Amino acid sequence: MSDLLERLRARGWRMTSQRRVVAEVLAGEHVHLTADEVHARAVARLPEIARATVYNTLGELVAIGEVVELSTDGRAKRYDPNAHHAHQHLVCSNCGLIRDVHPTGDPLTVLPPEERFGFTVSKADVTYRGLCPACA
Amino acid sequence: MSDLLERLRARGWRMTSQRRVVAEVLAGEHVHLTADEVHARAVARLPEIARATVYNTLGELVAIGEVVELSTDGRAKRYDPNAHHAHQHLVCSNCGLIRDVHPTGDPLTVLPPEERFGFTVSKADVTYRGLCPACA
DNA sequence: TTCTTGACTTGGACTCTGTCCATCGTAGGA
DNA sequence: TCCTACGATGGACAGAGTCCAAGTCAAGAA
């Protein structure tokens, strides 16, 4: 976690208390929080932090590749701090629980050239869906 | 397209002019429209149709499996009438263009049992991302 | 054909998520 | 310590979608 703070400092980020708190919230637990959840946890540590600041910081973290943005349900985007290990997501269709998973092989290889329609394909996001043990 | 209307009638749907128009808009072109785009096209045929009715009808079509809902960008959901042939989506990261694609093999098989965490996994949604020929 | 009724539609208010912007505050270099 | 440009603030705004009370009408019954 201070890892992340180090990397941000190395990138020339001005280290404000707000940015520190957002980075700490994300680094603290490997779950997939919405922006509002990040804000709620941040407020617990720094009551005056504004919603817009959380959105700005999350957007910047995504832009530099420290955090991955995912929208598994078309509602609020979620932020995944586990950006340095390629993985996909397994989502419970009932309760929304999300787990990081690691399929075998590279999902890009199964898309043959004639199915790429001239696109330069750079990545594949896979969302596995089903029921978690508690909902099944 | 009258195919779809037949199937809806067979399911006991009350065939109102609104539902007919929404079904026709979707069946008419194999693109991926947002709810608002469906509404705009529906209004062209039936000026009084309400936005809520379009949302209701789309939701019902999704629920019975006649239409697939996709959210490729975390913004408006899109509706894909091509629900009877399994496929995935290829999205341009720049302009948002979406194409239906058919990868080889079944994406579910690459998720080993020990990576399923007790979930009953029923499907995999794959979004390939890259640049389309026009944006590359 | 007309009647009846409950399913469907309407439209406006509301919620949720996210963005914008003018103003204020402060981190960090000189 | 002082400066100043970068970042934070908070309130207004926008886009997407949901909700609900009241009105309408498709389709079966008579």
Side-chain angles (χ1 to χ4, degrees), chain A residues 102 115 122-123 125 127 129, chain B residues 102 115 122-123 125 129:
Chain A
H102 304 82
E115 281 287 313
S122 52
K123 66 171 196 156
D125 293 335
T127 303
R129 297 183 193 277
Chain B
H102 303 82
E115 281 288 313
S122 52
K123 68 172 195 155
D125 294 336
R129 298 183 192 278

Side-chain angles (χ1 to χ4, degrees), chain B residues 65-109:
Chain B
E66 287 289 347
V67 166
V68 171
E69 191 176 77
L70 48 143
S71 53
T72 53
D73 63 350
R75 300 187 65 78
K77 288 175 190 163
R78 294 183 173 274
Y79 294 89
D80 185 345
N82 181 17
H84 292 289
H85 300 86
H87 63 278
Q88 304 298 345
H89 296 98
L90 172 56
V91 180
C92 177
S93 312
N94 187 241
C95 69
L97 175 69
I98 302 175
R99 297 226 43 163
D100 289 359
V101 294
H102 303 82
T104 58
D106 178 351
L108 282 185
T109 60

Side-chain angles (χ1 to χ4, degrees), chain A residues 4 7-8 14 16 18-19 21-22 27 44 57-58 62 65 97 111 113 120 131 135:
Chain A
L4 174 55
R7 288 198 299 275
L8 297 179
R14 204 152 119 177
T16 67
Q18 292 84 350
R19 284 174 164 183
V21 163
V22 170
T57 306
L58 288 173
V62 170
L97 175 69
L111 191 65
T120 309
L131 292 175
C135 292

Side-chain angles (χ1 to χ4, degrees), chain B:
Chain B
M1 129 185 161
S2 58
D3 252 18
L4 173 55
L5 292 179
E6 285 312 314
R7 287 199 299 275
L8 296 180
R9 213 184 303 270
R11 278 177 176 273
W13 266 38
R14 203 152 122 179
M15 196 44 64
T16 67
S17 52
Q18 291 86 348
R19 286 173 163 183
R20 198 189 325 273
V21 164
V22 170
E24 284 171 3
V25 165
L26 284 173
E29 29 185 340
H30 271 205
V31 294
H32 307 83
L33 302 173
T34 63
D36 256 11
E37 288 165 352
V38 172
H39 181 233
R41 283 167 166 72
V43 162
R45 303 180 182 212
L46 186 67
E48 332 80 66
I49 191 171
R51 227 165 49 94
T53 302
V54 172
Y55 275 102
N56 286 342
T57 307
L58 288 173
E60 288 157 358
L61 287 168
V62 170
I64 64 177
E66 287 289 347
V67 166
V68 171
E69 191 176 77
L70 48 143
S71 53
T72 53
D73 63 350
R75 300 187 65 78
K77 288 175 190 163
R78 294 183 173 274
Y79 294 89
D80 185 345
N82 181 17
H84 292 289
H85 300 86
H87 63 278
Q88 304 298 345
H89 296 98
L90 172 56
V91 180
C92 177
S93 312
N94 187 241
C95 69
L97 175 69
I98 302 175
R99 297 226 43 163
D100 289 359
V101 294
H102 303 82
T104 58
D106 178 351
L108 282 185
T109 60
V110 298
L111 191 65
E114 70 273 17
E115 281 288 313
R116 298 192 179 199
F117 301 99
F119 278 59
T120 309
V121 184
S122 52
K123 68 172 195 155
D125 294 336
V126 186
T127 303
Y128 297 94
R129 298 183 192 278
L131 292 175
C132 71
C135 291

